[in-house]
Structures are given as C-alpha cells and as structure tokens.
C-alpha cells in the first residue's frame, strides 16, 4: 500500500494528518463564485471564522484574490489591503488558529507570514511568480502546491490533456523536486479541481486520486460546491452541499488528508464516518 507523509511542521508545531483535517474557506473577495462579498467586513470575517472553528475546522484558508474562472485581476496593493486587516484581526482573536494564505504572489506570502500566517496556498504552483519557491523555502512554512494551467482569466481555455492524471503527476514530480531541492520540507499536493479542467477531467482526477500518493506528500481535495458537482446534478452552487459531501467522502477514501471546504460541519462528519470505517 502506498504511504503518505502524515504530519506538517507549522512553525515548530506538529499537525497530525493521520486523521484527515478540515480547512475552512474564508473568502474576503467581492466576486468569489459561491460566497463573494459575504465576509469582506472585519466583523463578518470574524463571525464566519468563529463559526467554522466551532464546527471543527483545524485550519482557515484566507483568500483575498478571487480565482474563479474569468475573475478580474487585481493589483498587489488591492490584495494586501483586503488581506492584512483580516489576517491581523484573526491572529489577535484566535492566537492558536492555523492560517493558510491563498495567494500566488511571493510579496503577499512574505507579508502574511511576517504577520503570523502559517501556510502558503499557491494556485499557480510558482508559475505566476518566479520568486515564490525561493520565498517559501526562506520562510520555512508549509506550501500547498496546486496544479493549474494559465491564469484564472485564461485557464478554462487551456483544459486540454492527453492524460490528465499523468500530466498532473508529472507536474507534481517536477515541482516537488524543485521545492525539495530548495529545502522546502512540508509540501501538500492539490490536483486543482476546476482549474483548467473540464468536468470529465475533474472526475478522472478524483477517480485516480490515490495515484498521487506515490509522491509521499499529503493530498488536499478542494471540490467544495464546484462546477463538477452542480453541473453534473443540474443544480446551483447553493444547492450543492450534498454533492460536495459525496465527492469529499470519495476523496477521503482515496487518500485525501485535507478537505478545503465552505461547509465545515458536513466535512468534519464525513471525516468521522470514513475514519470509523478505516478502523474496521
């Protein structure tokens, strides 16, 4: 059986992934596909974070740059203006919270970690900022390596593959080699469901998710309320909680160690059920 690394070193604190963890999504953008504009204000972000922690989230991923297909590009200044006040408030109010920052910009990563953030979640795998890998190595923080082609503005025009699983695996092998060569110790792999992928590609990746365990890094599944679910079910993203729970359960059974979700309670329950099954 293929094995995975089952811990993360977060600023000297060991995070155990032998039981999968749930990462709650906190979008502080006006235009994210599901919850854009809902948590922009400080009090709303604080309230939402508190709710997710009460529901069992072990980590919170803060996004200040919308990466939905066709999203508007924003400046470095606008991203940091959105991010830093929320980050500073959460660190003050929840000092033990593990915070991930969803950014592809090394300058944002550096500023966020200086403020107290713990993990960098890069949708571009270093492709949109040549300094990102060196920055993460210098900062000594865990790095979520996601697969995407192009940019959020162009990615859906680049959803072409001979074999999507093999191409994503080759990408991960190359990128993790670069990162480990720079001294990055804690890498998390995210196949990038919905990023330059058709619905067929997404389900093929989900079906073969355990393939990526060969690289011995923890896997993150981020499918919450995405098009692969609601398009298949012919519903809206707001109706896609049940479908999200189904695909999250499949991902857990195929080796996912982190679920990145909007709906924490349902994901925590899925982890408990699958963990109970695995004890048989």
């Amino acid at each position: 059986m293929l094995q995975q690394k089952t811990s993360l070193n977060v600023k000297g604190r060991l995070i155990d992934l032998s039981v999968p963890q749930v990462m709650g999504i906190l979008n502080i953008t006006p235009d994210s596909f599901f919850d854009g504009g809902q948590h922009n204000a400080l009090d709303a972000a604080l309230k939402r974070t508190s709710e997710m922690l009460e529901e069992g989230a072990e980590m919170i991923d803060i996004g200040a740059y919308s990466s939905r297909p066709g999203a508007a590009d924003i400046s470095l200044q606008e991203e940091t203006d959105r991010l830093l006040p929320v980050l500073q408030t959460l660190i003050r109010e929840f000092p033990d919270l593990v915070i991930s920052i969803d950014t592809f910009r090394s300058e944002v990563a550096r500023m966020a970690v200086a403020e107290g953030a713990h993990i960098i979640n890069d949708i571009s795998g270093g492709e949109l900022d040549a300094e990102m890998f060196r920055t993460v190595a210098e900062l000594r923080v865990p790095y979520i390596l996601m697969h995407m082609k192009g940019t959020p503005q162009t990615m859906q025009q680049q959803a072409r593959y001979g074999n999507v699983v093999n191409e994503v695996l080759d990408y991960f092998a190359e990128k993790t080699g670069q990162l480990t060569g720079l001294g990055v110790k804690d890498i998390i792999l995210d196949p990038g469901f919905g990023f330059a992928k058709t619905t067929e590609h997404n389900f093929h990746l989900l079906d073969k998710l355990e393939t990526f365990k060969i690289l011995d890094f923890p896997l993150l599944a981020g499918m919450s309320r995405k098009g692969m679910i609601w398009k298949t079910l012919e519903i809206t993203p707001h109706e896609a909680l049940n479908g999200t729970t189904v695909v999250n359960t499949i991902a857990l059974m195929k080796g996912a160690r982190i679920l990145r979700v909007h709906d924490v309670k349902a994901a925590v329950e899925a982890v408990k059920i699958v963990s109970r099954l695995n004890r048989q």
Side-chain angles (χ1 to χ4, degrees), residues 46-256:
L46 196 62
K47 181 175 182 289
R48 182 64 189 134
T49 300
S50 180
E51 290 170 350
M52 290 192 286
L53 294 177
E54 288 174 8
E55 292 175 351
E58 296 288 341
M59 315 171 193
I60 299 294
D61 188 53
I62 307 176
Y65 183 111
S66 177
S67 55
R68 66 174 176 80
D73 188 25
I74 64 169
S75 67
L76 169 68
Q77 187 65 52
E78 187 170 354
E79 185 179 358
T80 54
D81 285 349
R82 289 177 185 173
L83 174 65
L84 292 183
V86 172
L87 175 60
Q88 291 161 351
T89 300
L90 294 188
I91 288 169
R92 183 177 65 251
E93 296 295 326
F94 306 104
D96 295 328
L97 175 61
V98 175
I99 296 177
S100 166
I101 302 299
D102 183 354
T103 186
F104 58 80
R105 289 174 166 138
S106 62
E107 289 178 73
V108 175
R110 191 177 295 280
M111 283 187 279
V113 172
E115 292 289 345
H118 306 89
I119 299 170
I120 298 303
N121 180 11
D122 179 5
I123 61 168
S124 81
E127 289 290 321
L128 297 181
D129 187 334
E131 294 301 312
M132 181 60 93
F133 282 11
R134 282 188 288 272
T135 300
V136 171
E138 181 184 329
L139 295 173
R140 298 181 179 274
V141 293
Y143 177 72
I144 300 172
L145 170 67
M146 199 192 83
H147 175 274
M148 177 179 72
K149 289 183 178 181
T151 69
Q153 293 74 39
T154 66
M155 61 185 177
Q156 291 311 104
Q157 287 74 55
Q158 301 192 41
R160 296 182 297 274
Y161 303 89
N163 182 304
V164 66
V165 174
N166 289 346
E167 289 187 38
V168 174
L169 182 62
D170 288 346
Y171 171 94
F172 281 154
E174 178 185 352
K175 296 284 187 177
T176 55
Q178 294 171 10
L179 286 161
T180 56
L182 290 167
V184 179
K185 304 292 186 187
D186 291 280
I187 304 168
I188 301 155
L189 304 180
D190 177 356
F193 293 99
F195 287 82
K197 317 285 192 311
T198 64
T199 296
E200 183 179 357
H201 294 144
N202 290 322
F203 276 99
H204 194 41
L205 284 167
L206 177 60
D207 183 42
K208 302 298 183 184
L209 191 64
E210 68 271 19
T211 303
F212 303 112
K213 292 165 69 174
I214 196 171
L215 297 173
D216 194 33
F217 296 105
L219 298 174
L220 180 150
M223 296 175 284
S224 183
R225 296 183 180 266
K226 287 187 176 178
M228 65 181 287
I229 301 164
W230 56 263
K231 289 176 183 176
T232 298
L233 299 176
E234 299 181 340
I235 56 175
T236 68
H238 290 272
E239 298 170 305
L241 173 56
N242 185 59
T244 296
T245 301
V246 173
V247 296
N248 280 340
T249 302
I250 295 168
L252 290 168
M253 295 180 75
K254 290 179 176 290

Side-chain angles (χ1 to χ4, degrees), residues 37-48:
Q38 292 184 31
H39 310 122
N40 296 19
L42 277 177
D43 57 346
L46 196 62
K47 181 175 182 289
R48 182 64 189 134

